[in-house]
Amino acid sequence: PGALFWMWISAFFGMAVAYMEGVLAQIFKEKKDDEFVGGLPFYGRKFLGNKVWIGVFLSVLYILYALCCLPAQGFNVVSSVGRMAEIVTGKTIPSGSAFYYIVGTLIVILTAAIAFGGIKKVSRWTDMMVPVMAVLYFVITLFIIFTNLGSMPGVFKRIFEEAFGFRQAAAGGFGVVLMNGVKRGLFSNEAGSGSAPCAAAAAECDSPVKAGFVQALGVFVDTIVICSCTAMIMLLAPENLVQGLSGMELLQTAMHYHMGQFGVIFIAATLFMFSFSTFLGILFYARGNVSYLFGDNWGSQTGYKVLALVMLFIGGIAAYTFVWDLGDVGIGLMTIFNIFMLYPLGEKALKELKIYESEKKKK
């Protein structure tokens, strides 16, 4: 529970970082064919002397990051389908069974049909899915909170006690709580990792500052709202009921306690949509970097998408801990290099903010 507090802290500072990423992505974006592309390889190359090898290195790094993060989304997608199938059939489906291979294959086929349709098709899918599932998730969480209002003071007490290691001080647990909170915060909002600027660069807006504001808002909604919803669902369930559980099993057990079978089906469907839309986003983000390395040709783009689909399939049949560790490695590598670029370039983002504020005052 204490990790949630450090997720809030990471998101608080992450909003400022996301703002800078969005502004820099707009300032240094480039137009290829009919689309804008940008992100870390573009502003990183310009900052470090506009040398070709720098852009190549950062693009390769970004593609590695994307391939490391994709299996976790594949795992979530396939696991959620498996859980829904268990509810419908009333039977336990063991991990590694033929069912998961079949589901993983079908998910890959569906993703391929969308991914090969281009960015407009990707954006249409995410535009439909993300707002609906976020609002429904938030409303149902509010319902659970209001029906358990008397337990809320105890929940917040537990969060803050464990955030500073009061309960784990003797066991040296503070470092673990802090690390898990920051890791999961970064994984949820990706602030500072250099992935979101790819989306910010693709946007068309009359001021780079507006793209920065949208990026900052995204971090707030992603971590402080949505992740807090998940935490409250779990923490409002009896501790003895969820003790020893983790991942999907933990969340679904908590939802079953609050809302019965409907809650389990709802959370599985929601996780499917969250993970599937995230996968599509990562798939799109990396295509600009593939284009930077090899040109925007059919061969390189198809090769990358096929490799990404393979990683999606592997994630669907891999172990829970493996896919999350792999994702943490990818985000860690990207964040180190991205923050190195953002710190000196941040002055440009702040300058754009001052210009934007002065123009707003004149109106």
Side-chain angles (χ1 to χ4, degrees), residues 56 62 76 224 230 289 322 343:
V56 170
Y62 189 88
N76 285 338
I224 295 181
T230 306
N289 294 280
F322 169 75
Y343 185 75

Side-chain angles (χ1 to χ4, degrees), residues 12 25 39 46 85 128 242 292 349:
F12 178 78
K46 297 277 178 65
M128 286 188 297
V242 296
Y292 183 90

Side-chain angles (χ1 to χ4, degrees), residues 95-164:
S95 58
S97 64
F99 172 84
Y100 286 98
Y101 285 88
I102 295 168
V103 170
T105 303
L106 293 174
I107 296 297
V108 165
I109 293 170
L110 175 61
T111 306
I114 299 169
F116 284 93
I119 179 55
K120 287 185 172 61
K121 186 169 282 190
V122 171
S123 65
R124 277 200 302 271
W125 269 79
T126 53
D127 284 349
M128 286 188 297
M129 293 166 65
V130 175
V132 172
M133 63 190 177
V135 170
L136 280 175
Y137 196 54
F138 182 63
V139 169
I140 284 183
T141 304
L142 286 180
F143 170 77
I144 292 171
I145 289 172
F146 282 119
T147 53
N148 294 272
L149 212 51
S151 303
M152 289 304 295
V155 167
F156 280 104
K157 181 184 177 185
R158 189 177 172 196
I159 289 169
F160 288 109
E161 279 183 349
E162 296 201 16
F164 297 99

